Amino acid sequence: MTLTPYIDELACAAHGDCARAAPEVFTIEDIAVVTGKGSDEVILNAAQACPAGAIIATDEQTGEQIYP
């Protein structure tokens, strides 16, 4: 499975935990922004690290929401 991360812009408070967990995937501007790719494990770890729950991970092939 290949995960694709999305940011819920209304939920993101730009804490930066995702960028610390996965700097190759996320950067922080006014909010978090997906700027790269990473392994499924890296994406899930970053999503779980987000205190606002603003990262949604979906299966790239099916579009099924995997997290949260």
Side-chain angles (χ1 to χ4, degrees):
M1 172 180 348
T2 300
L3 295 180
T4 301
Y6 296 95
I7 305 296
D8 178 343
E9 295 180 7
L10 297 176
C12 183
H15 290 108
D17 294 4
C18 60
R20 282 188 287 284
E24 67 276 24
V25 181
F26 302 97
T27 57
I28 302 298
E29 294 176 6
D30 291 333
I31 60 168
V33 178
V34 178
T35 56
K37 294 190 178 267
S39 70
D40 291 351
E41 180 179 0
V42 167
I43 290 169
L44 282 176
N45 285 340
Q48 292 167 346
C50 178
I55 299 173
I56 300 163
T58 63
D59 182 313
E60 185 175 278
Q61 290 185 334
T62 66
E64 177 185 359
Q65 184 171 321
I66 304 301
Y67 185 88

